[in-house]
Amino acid sequence: MREVMPELLRWWRAGATIGVSTVVATWRSAPRPAGASMLVGPGGEAVGSVSGGCVEGAVYELASTVVADGTPVLQRYGVSDDDAYSVGLTCGGILDVFVEPVSSESFPELGEVADDVEAGRPVAVATVIEHPDPAWLGRRLVVRPEGSAAGDSGSLGSARADDAVTDDVRGLLAAGRTETLTYGPDGERRGEGLRVFVSSFAPRPRMLVFGAIDFAAAVAHVGHFLGYEVTVVDARPVFATNSRFPSADEVVVQWPHRYLEAERNAGRLDARTVICVLTHDPKFDVPVLEIALRLPEAAFIGAMGSRRTHEDRMARLREAGLSEAELERLSSPIGLDLGARTPEETAVSIAAEIVALQWGGRGDRLAHRDGPIHHHGAGPHEPHEAAGATPTHAGGGAGT
């Protein structure tokens, strides 16, 4: 939804009714993750994508119908359906797509939600996509973190359902996760009948790059490309400059361990945070890794260096008192074995390891594998969204 928000908001403010189609669940080799959206505008414009082209035509027609009659629809597209191939979903995946009409009357809170998203304030929208009573379809709750001055708004249909969903959504929002939740018809914790799609708009996940070297510039660039908020940190002002790191959101001149400690104490790190230590200099990397490896939450902690550097680093960290369990969290040498040589190739290697660990990929060649493309582990082949995994980590192979 985030990628189509500007167009949606413009039409919403103009008083139009927009057909909004959102992927709410995926199985197997689905081309787009849960949360991907396509709009049908008041003039018939199509914006965004739910399938990368596979079923766009069918979804467009359905959205047009939904706008005309005002009734939301949950539609499944996949190889299990007789008409799956007729609409073009030949990738072998299955999509659940919720199609609803959106206007200032049906979604009066959209302006406030868009303001939160633009300002980087956490906010989630929970929408009923399935219920025995059709009147519940399309009802939504806007949920913000506990203690937010803006509060929550909307209602699903009962106080019990509102309370149960609000509690769960706040947990998802804290992790930046988007997924579908299932309850009994009145919000019972056990049972089925009520399905709620939760779209979380959390601030971008953070990538902290320690060490203002040439490899760091390439890593910052690929991190920005992957959607991270990238911060480069180095204690040497001659190297830590904005001109050397144009892709970084922030360049900080500070000792790495002091910066990381301050960010931890301020609560600005979460389970999606990625930490890349590229200094391969013990006076920089050992103190910052002492803090990083003891963080209660971090999606990835990797350190660059040769095998000799790695062994020396591990010995120093053991001397500093880190346990074997804490050391197991470290990916060192950082990256997958791609045979990388240049900074740009090494950055791809590091990004590949981060992505593989996030989704449970094995890092081998797809051409040499049989079966589904997506690895059956943490990936989006099951009906959930695409964020918030917190994997364990092993060493890679992009040392210098």
Side-chain angles (χ1 to χ4, degrees):
M1 178 69 75
R2 187 190 299 265
E3 60 192 14
V4 299
M5 185 68 78
E7 291 83 0
L8 176 61
L9 194 62
R10 177 166 57 87
W11 288 324
W12 177 87
R13 285 174 172 159
T17 298
I18 308 99
V20 179
S21 306
T22 304
V23 178
V24 296
T26 67
W27 292 264
R28 299 206 296 266
S29 298
R32 296 296 308 278
S37 296
M38 185 178 78
L39 311 180
V40 175
E45 307 90 337
V47 176
S49 172
V50 294
S51 70
C54 295
V55 300
E56 308 308 47
V59 174
Y60 179 92
E61 294 298 329
L62 179 58
S64 300
T65 300
V66 165
V67 169
D69 63 25
T71 303
V73 174
L74 178 63
Q75 179 67 47
R76 176 165 294 178
Y77 299 95
V79 294
S80 61
D81 300 327
D82 293 338
D83 63 349
Y85 286 100
S86 68
V87 299
L89 194 64
T90 57
C91 60
I94 301 173
L95 300 174
D96 276 357
V97 180
F98 185 68
V99 186
E100 59 181 326
V102 170
S103 67
S104 57
E105 293 183 2
S106 67
F107 194 175
E109 307 92 346
L110 179 60
E112 294 177 356
V113 170
D115 289 343
D116 286 337
V117 173
E118 178 66 22
R121 294 187 294 265
V123 63
V125 179
T127 305
V128 176
I129 62 172
E130 187 174 11
H131 195 274
D133 182 354
W136 281 53
L137 292 180
R139 291 178 180 174
R140 58 178 58 84
L141 277 175
V142 176
V143 180
R144 296 175 175 86
E146 200 76 48
S148 171
D152 302 334
S153 57
S155 177
L156 302 182
S158 74
R160 180 176 185 173
D162 289 352
D163 290 344
V165 172
T166 297
D167 285 345
D168 292 340
V169 170
R170 284 186 170 137
L172 293 177
L173 185 56
R177 295 174 56 192
T178 292
E179 64 181 61
T180 297
L181 304 175
T182 301
Y183 304 88
D186 195 40
E188 300 91 338
R189 292 291 181 177
R190 296 184 179 181
E192 298 180 348
L194 169 60
R195 290 178 67 202
V196 179
F197 179 68
V198 181
S199 185
S200 292
F201 299 95
R204 287 184 295 161
R206 299 189 67 189
M207 173 181 282
L208 306 182
V209 181
F210 295 106
I213 64 175
D214 51 355
F215 287 89
V219 171
H221 181 73
V222 75
H224 179 79
F225 175 76
L226 291 176
Y228 288 95
E229 180 180 342
V230 181
T231 301
V232 177
V233 184
D234 198 295
R236 302 165 295 180
V238 68
F239 296 114
T241 64
N242 291 318
S243 61
R244 295 189 70 230
F245 300 97
S247 297
D249 295 277
E250 184 181 27
V251 179
V252 177
V253 180
Q254 193 171 350
W255 278 84
H257 70 284
R258 292 174 183 167
Y259 175 83
L260 186 60
E261 186 176 33
E263 294 299 288
R264 178 199 63 191
N265 294 341
R268 289 191 285 264
L269 309 176
D270 62 25
R272 302 172 299 151
T273 300
V274 167
I275 298 173
C276 300
V277 179
L278 308 182
T279 55
H280 51 86
D281 182 335
K283 70 175 177 292
F284 290 110
D285 59 19
V286 171
V288 74
L289 286 171
E290 283 187 57
I291 297 171
L293 294 172
R294 286 172 170 151
L295 291 173
E297 295 178 330
F300 175 85
I301 304 168
M304 177 177 283
S306 65
R307 295 294 178 186
R308 176 180 294 182
T309 299
H310 167 72
E311 294 300 330
D312 177 71
R313 179 191 296 130
M314 295 293 280
R316 291 172 184 268
L317 289 170
R318 289 188 178 97
E319 290 175 3
L322 272 77
S323 68
E324 293 303 315
E326 290 167 336
L327 293 175
E328 280 292 321
R329 302 180 66 198
L330 178 61
S331 291
S332 174
I334 194 172
L336 296 185
D337 182 8
L338 305 183
R341 293 294 184 269
T342 68
E344 292 75 17
E345 290 171 348
T346 301
V348 171
S349 168
I350 294 170
E353 184 182 19
I354 292 170
V355 172
L357 291 174
Q358 180 180 8
W359 299 113
R362 290 193 282 261
D364 50 352
R365 297 182 65 188
L366 292 175
H368 293 171
R369 287 185 53 196
D370 296 325
I373 291 175
H374 292 301
H375 175 56
H376 290 278
H381 56 280
E382 295 185 356
H384 80 305
E385 71 5 297
T390 308
T392 57
H393 305 292
T400 58

